[in-house]
Amino acid sequence: MSAAVEVQAVKSAQAGHDWSLWMRQIRAILRIEVRKNFWGRRALLIYLLAAIPVLLTFLLSIIDNEGGGADIRRNWASAQEAFAAIIYNGLILRTVVYFGCAWIFMNLFRGEVVDKSLHYYFLCSLRREVLVAGKYISGLVVSVVLFTLTTGGSLFFLYYARGYPANVNYLFDGPGLTQCLAYAGITILACVGYGAVFMVIGLFFRNPIIPALLAYGWEWVNFLLPPLLKKISIIHYLHSLSPIPVSEGPLATVVDPTPAWISVPSMIIFTAIVLFLASIRIRKMEIRYGNE
Amino acid sequence: MESQISNLKSEIVFEDVSKFYGEILGVNRVNLTIAPGITSLVGPNGSGKTTLMNLMTGLIQPTRGRISILGIEPSDPQELFRKVGYCGQFDSFPKGMTGYEFVKSFLSVHGLSNKEAEEKAWRAIERVDLIDAAHRKVAAYSKGMRQRIRLAQSIAHEPAVMILDEPLNGLDPMARAETIRLFRQLAQEGQHLIVSSHILHEVDKMSDRVVLINNGYILAEGGVMGVREEKMEEHPMQITIRCDRPQEFAARVFASDSVVEAALHEDRQGLFIKTRNADAFYQLLNRVVVENGMNIESVSPVDDDLNAVYHYLIGSNGGGQS
Ligand SMILES: Nc1ncnc2c1ncn2[C@@H]1O[C@H](COP(=O)(O)OP(=O)(O)O)[C@@H](O)[C@H]1O
Ligand SMILES: [Mg+2]
């Protein structure tokens, strides 16, 4: 009896040890990957992309006439709507975050196959699932840092254009702060969801550009889709969270926004499923650079 | 039973392993047991050496059959690479790293603490003699240095089994000798070494065992000595000698029992000898040099015993077909 108890104890100690080992390994992967992503040559494109919305709102805020800063001051409500629909939804979410995540996350594995360096990870005393986790988290760190900065920077110039006193009120006594946090939250959630999808696309497809563009099309025509299909997309859930309701235009099918307490967990569960797919895929993955 | 288990724990076993790349044959029906010591895997280009090594390390999966490395399956990298290090053939690196960062980063990925990783990284870099270049970018290394830093990376976590795919390829003679010395040293420390090469005489001297492979099939395996004894009769050793008076020399040696054939080189600056008793021949050679005061420029086995076996087994003059 005591022997059995002992075996039990050893096993759970072993399992506990594994968890701390995996955490250490994920940290090690993070150090390698985050550095590569922020400093590598592949990063340059992302910086440019991330800077576009900030530059644009900056320009709008300093051009102090019709269509620019003056408009923002005169009609704050419609300026905010325009920001939500055009700058945030159209430019940041659908373009910068989407393609930024595509680039960052598809390169996590594809990039290393192209560089012929993936085998160094495969030859470590490292479970491949842990590698998937480590790579995904590195992608998240990079994309979340960059794109919340983009979101924050654009919001900053939107508010900046309006002038100081009005903002203090709106931000701290009005809904301003909550709205800003909601934007940041949507950006982060977008990185979580799109990131997982693109990592898996990068793992499954030899040429990931086509599936990425197909997914892009799907997300864009989303507003036309019947309600059920509409819910099979990331953008629908992200829209549902928008602090300022965004009209999808006259052609759109009308679906009630999914409440946050459903949409956030759904996104997380969806992401978990996608990551699970990735870890199945990577266990079977072979290193065959020569033939790629 | 007991001993079987312990054997399993110290051996590398291929059980009826085949690998096809789509239609293309990688290796076929491999049954092989590799005991500790230095084992050379020898075969011409395209014969399946890299395929076997990638199978052992789980980089590719067998189409059929089972592989066990010291009792561990290649599909369990976390366990496998506590015991195994693999220095593959790809001359490529993660972008932007220095030699030291390269070795240390992946030690951290193994799960070592920062301090341990630093220590082991330096130890490995020292073993391949790259301390001075350690803080330079790998991208600026010469081919030989890249080869050595990859070697360091693969042995840094001090594995019990080291698998090295053509590790001498691209090294200059100095680095080659150094590397072979390192292999011997590692083997003396009790490591299991598996080294591949397409040039037999490059590795036969240091090997305890040679496995010959061609077109995806294992042709022969065994101890170097055993193979030598067995094949000496049918395949005499061939030696080329460059010297100033080859005719005189030929007359002298032909009188000896040990020489079965002697032929002058076309330029009359050397000769070609076949012998069944190399030791006796070398003694004779020494005597002739001392007595006749001949000027010998070089003496080299054209293809020594194992080489001859290899050619015999491959069925051509080596490396030709692939
Ligand atoms: N990724 C691959 N795709 C298709 N065929 C391959 C691949 N890798 C190796 N081969 C084929 O398998 C055979 C064995 O190759 P390999 O193991 O690389 O031989 P070696 O290392 O002895 O030169 C060759 O015929 C080669 O063309
Ligand atoms: Mg090879």
Side-chain angles (χ1 to χ4, degrees):
Chain A
M1 191 219 97
S2 76
V5 170
E6 240 171 54
V7 169
Q8 279 282 322
V10 169
K11 272 205 171 145
S12 64
Q14 182 73 40
H17 174 75
D18 272 357
W19 273 106
S20 74
L21 171 70
W22 297 339
M23 289 303 143
R24 265 205 315 282
Q25 294 185 313
I26 287 175
R27 272 203 302 277
I29 296 168
L30 255 160
R31 271 200 299 276
I32 299 174
E33 295 296 316
V34 168
R35 203 185 103 166
K36 198 159 45 181
N37 269 297
F38 274 126
W39 300 114
R41 210 178 312 157
R42 288 198 177 97
L44 212 64
L45 212 68
I46 299 293
Y47 287 133
L48 282 177
L49 197 62
I52 292 172
V54 184
L55 279 177
L56 198 73
T57 41
F58 169 70
L59 287 178
L60 282 176
S61 74
I62 56 168
I63 300 170
D64 203 14
N65 52 26
E66 291 305 306
D71 264 356
I72 296 177
R73 261 194 304 282
R74 203 171 316 123
N75 194 344
W76 178 235
S78 76
Q80 271 196 309
E81 263 170 46
F83 179 85
I86 298 167
I87 305 266
Y88 187 74
N89 182 46
L91 188 60
I92 296 185
L93 207 53
R94 285 179 189 254
T95 309
V96 173
V97 175
Y98 186 90
F99 285 107
C101 282
W103 185 250
I104 292 171
F105 285 88
M106 287 196 310
N107 270 330
L108 287 176
F109 286 95
R110 294 300 310 174
E112 290 221 64
V113 172
V114 171
D115 291 349
K116 303 189 179 184
S117 57
L118 187 57
H119 63 286
Y120 290 115
Y121 279 121
F122 280 17
L123 297 175
C124 285
S125 171
L126 170 73
R127 293 183 66 126
R128 294 208 182 157
E129 296 87 339
V130 178
L131 177 61
V132 165
K135 286 242 178 199
Y136 176 68
I137 294 170
S138 329
L140 264 190
V141 168
V142 175
S143 56
V144 163
V145 166
L146 274 178
F147 302 136
T148 42
L149 277 178
T150 301
T151 309
S154 308
L155 280 167
F156 174 82
F157 286 116
L158 173 75
Y159 280 87
Y160 175 80
R162 197 172 168 225
Y164 182 71
N167 272 332
V168 173
N169 258 340
Y170 187 73
L171 269 177
F172 299 108
D173 292 329
L177 198 60
T178 321
Q179 283 175 5
C180 288
L181 290 176
Y183 279 124
I186 296 170
T187 301
I188 291 169
L189 214 55
C191 293
V192 169
Y194 285 134
V197 170
F198 287 125
M199 187 173 75
V200 168
I201 289 179
L203 272 172
F204 275 91
F205 295 91
R206 285 191 167 211
N207 184 352
I209 306 295
I210 291 163
L213 285 177
L214 283 180
Y216 190 66
W218 178 261
E219 297 281 287
W220 263 112
V221 299
N222 183 264
F223 70 97
L224 291 169
L225 296 175
L228 194 65
L229 285 181
K230 218 169 181 168
K231 298 205 172 183
I232 315 178
S233 73
I234 290 176
I235 200 76
H236 168 75
Y237 297 97
L238 296 175
H239 267 171
S240 297
L241 295 169
S242 180
I244 294 184
V246 177
S247 155
E248 292 182 307
L251 290 173
T253 46
V254 182
V255 177
D256 284 337
T258 311
W261 67 269
I262 295 178
S263 59
V264 174
S266 321
M267 286 276 300
I268 305 280
I269 290 168
F270 168 77
T271 301
I273 293 171
V274 173
L275 289 179
F276 178 71
L277 277 179
S279 59
I280 289 177
R281 166 71 186 163
I282 195 142
R283 288 185 64 100
K284 294 257 172 283
M285 187 164 174
E286 297 196 333
I287 297 282
R288 289 201 207 172
Y289 304 137
N291 252 32
E292 296 285 336
Chain B
M1 188 67 215
E2 182 86 325
S3 78
Q4 233 175 354
I5 287 175
S6 70
N7 269 348
L8 199 67
K9 292 258 179 209
S10 66
E11 284 174 343
I12 296 167
V13 182
F14 284 78
E15 261 175 61
D16 198 32
V17 172
S18 301
K19 174 68 184 178
F20 287 85
Y21 300 98
E23 299 276 285
I24 302 167
L25 171 69
V27 294
N28 205 8
R29 320 225 85 168
V30 173
N31 282 290
L32 191 61
T33 300
I34 302 174
I38 304 189
T39 302
S40 294
L41 196 55
V42 181
N45 284 329
S47 56
K49 305 180 295 292
T50 301
T51 300
L52 273 188
M53 292 184 153
N54 286 354
L55 283 168
M56 275 186 242
T57 49
L59 291 188
I60 56 178
Q61 282 121 33
T63 314
R64 226 186 9 245
R66 266 193 64 233
I67 301 161
S68 149
I69 316 283
L70 316 189
I72 307 167
E73 303 218 343
S75 58
D76 182 1
Q78 184 174 315
E79 284 305 313
L80 185 71
F81 292 106
R82 286 189 181 138
K83 301 267 171 65
V84 175
Y86 179 29
C87 184
Q89 227 178 353
F90 314 111
D91 184 24
S92 51
F93 295 85
K95 288 263 156 76
M97 287 189 179
T98 67
Y100 167 73
E101 284 164 352
F102 170 57
V103 179
K104 199 208 129 191
S105 300
F106 288 100
L107 282 171
S108 306
V109 175
H110 275 283
L112 299 187
S113 72
N114 202 42
K115 193 159 160 289
E116 271 178 306
E118 270 173 25
E119 279 171 17
K120 291 201 171 171
W122 283 119
R123 207 174 308 152
I125 291 170
E126 190 175 4
R127 290 202 106 158
V128 299
D129 206 14
L130 277 177
I131 296 265
D132 293 338
H135 287 304
R136 277 169 31 207
K137 296 269 188 215
V138 175
Y141 282 13
S142 70
K143 175 141 179 15
M145 289 162 85
R146 292 201 300 272
Q147 186 97 339
R148 272 145 65 203
I149 200 73
R150 287 197 296 115
L151 183 61
Q153 192 270 331
S154 64
I155 65 173
H157 61 297
E158 297 166 2
V161 178
M162 255 146 354
I163 302 173
L164 309 156
D165 199 359
E166 312 228 4
L168 300 174
N169 222 357
L171 294 187
D172 60 61
M174 272 266 280
R176 212 172 257 245
E178 278 290 303
T179 309
I180 289 179
R181 220 174 40 131
L182 173 61
F183 292 165
R184 287 218 171 96
Q185 200 181 334
L186 291 168
Q188 258 165 26
E189 292 167 16
Q191 316 284 45
H192 218 110
L193 249 81
I194 300 169
V195 180
S196 76
S197 174
H198 60 276
I199 304 165
L200 182 59
H201 67 73
E202 172 177 275
V203 288
D204 63 347
K205 301 255 165 20
M206 67 175 180
S207 311
D208 300 315
R209 200 175 311 97
V210 175
V211 175
L212 299 173
I213 180 172
N214 190 35
N215 285 331
Y217 290 88
I218 304 288
L219 295 178
E221 82 180 278
V224 176
M225 296 309 279
V227 180
R228 173 184 297 174
E229 237 92 275
E230 197 177 305
K231 298 295 175 188
M232 200 61 176
E233 274 302 297
E234 343 165 9
H235 293 275
M237 183 172 181
Q238 305 174 30
I239 300 168
T240 260
I241 297 158
R242 301 292 287 173
C243 59
D244 55 354
R245 280 167 284 153
Q247 271 154 310
E248 196 179 316
F249 185 63
R252 217 22 237 283
V253 297
F254 208 61
S256 145
D257 283 346
S258 59
V259 175
V260 290
E261 199 182 315
L264 291 187
H265 290 166
E266 275 180 8
D267 64 359
R268 308 203 154 252
Q269 294 298 305
L271 77 168
F272 182 74
I273 297 275
K274 269 193 187 172
T275 172
R276 287 198 200 284
N277 187 339
D279 289 342
F281 171 75
Y282 280 122
Q283 273 169 17
L284 175 66
L285 176 64
N286 283 343
R287 261 204 321 277
V288 174
V289 170
V290 173
E291 287 168 15
N292 296 29
M294 276 197 354
N295 213 345
I296 302 227
E297 195 183 310
S298 71
V299 177
S300 53
V302 173
D303 48 4
D304 54 13
D305 40 339
L306 247 174
N307 220 339
V309 178
Y310 173 67
H311 289 170
Y312 164 74
L313 288 165
I314 302 291
S316 76
N317 42 2
Q321 72 221 97
S322 59

